[in-house]
Amino acid sequence: MTDTPIRQHRLSPARLRELPLWSVVAAGTLVGGLLGGSYGLLTPSTYTATSYVIAVPAGKSSPDAALGFAQAYGRVATQLAVLGDAQVYAGVPVRTLQRSVRTATSPDAPMVAVSATSSRPELAVDMANAVTRSLTRHADDTRGNTHVRLVQFSRAVEPSEPTSTSTAVTGLVGASAGGLLGGLALLARPRRNGGQEDDPAPAPSVPSPAAAADVRGQR
């Protein structure tokens, strides 16, 4: 018996050039969609809870002063002085609060929004309420000087849906990015000349001495 050698088919540059142009875009879209979907599956879902406090003028203070102090309290809420007390109420380290808590203020209303993000919805609620509680207590301690007090406007409630991007969305984003890269690769490919690859032009032929003599004799 004779053994028939098994041929190994490899993708040579010539074979790659024979592939249709749309296959590059299709391959990029497929790979990008797989990578984006895998990222969405492997990344844990996150939940965000938000609580609100409002600055109220007290005594001789004015609404404009309350609005200004609301802006200031929004910046102070994520400082160590406030988070140091909030960690006791939330039961998490200060570093976790610094990484998870964000604040937002409005230029038109004396309100501070405190948002906390976590992979556990109940922990997000605890962190948001803990920071607002600590911020309100610090505002009460200085109310004699600021003539502005903070009042809790709305407590954070447990979110029912994650705020992180879903797997379907990450897959679509990855597919779009992959298709775009495939299209850019087509634009950057070497151009063809008359349906052929750009080959070096052949060197001009020089007539032999005999041929040159014959031409002179005919003149």
Side-chain angles (χ1 to χ4, degrees), residues 52-149:
Y52 299 89
V53 293
I54 187 171
V56 179
K60 300 179 180 180
S61 183
S62 63
D64 292 338
L67 179 61
F69 276 107
Q71 303 290 330
Y73 285 134
R75 292 189 291 268
V76 172
T78 55
Q79 300 301 315
L80 186 60
V82 177
L83 298 182
D85 294 338
Q87 68 174 343
V88 179
Y89 307 138
V92 296
V94 174
R95 291 183 178 180
T96 302
L97 293 175
Q98 290 175 333
R99 184 174 58 251
S100 305
V101 175
R102 297 292 182 268
T103 61
T105 57
S106 172
D108 302 323
M111 183 175 292
V112 181
V114 179
S115 300
T117 303
S118 175
S119 58
R120 296 161 47 196
E122 66 277 3
L123 181 58
V125 172
D126 293 340
M127 289 190 296
N129 289 330
V131 173
T132 55
R133 178 180 178 181
S134 178
L135 181 63
T136 302
R137 190 179 67 81
H138 278 77
D140 288 339
D141 294 339
T142 60
R143 185 174 58 180
N145 298 324
T146 62
H147 302 288
V148 173
R149 62 190 182 95

Side-chain angles (χ1 to χ4, degrees), residues 19-53:
L19 294 176
L21 297 180
W22 59 264
S23 61
V24 179
V25 179
T29 302
L30 178 61
V31 173
L34 291 176
L35 292 177
S38 300
Y39 175 81
L41 287 175
L42 297 177
T43 304
S45 301
T46 56
Y47 298 84
T48 301
T50 304
S51 60
Y52 299 89
V53 293

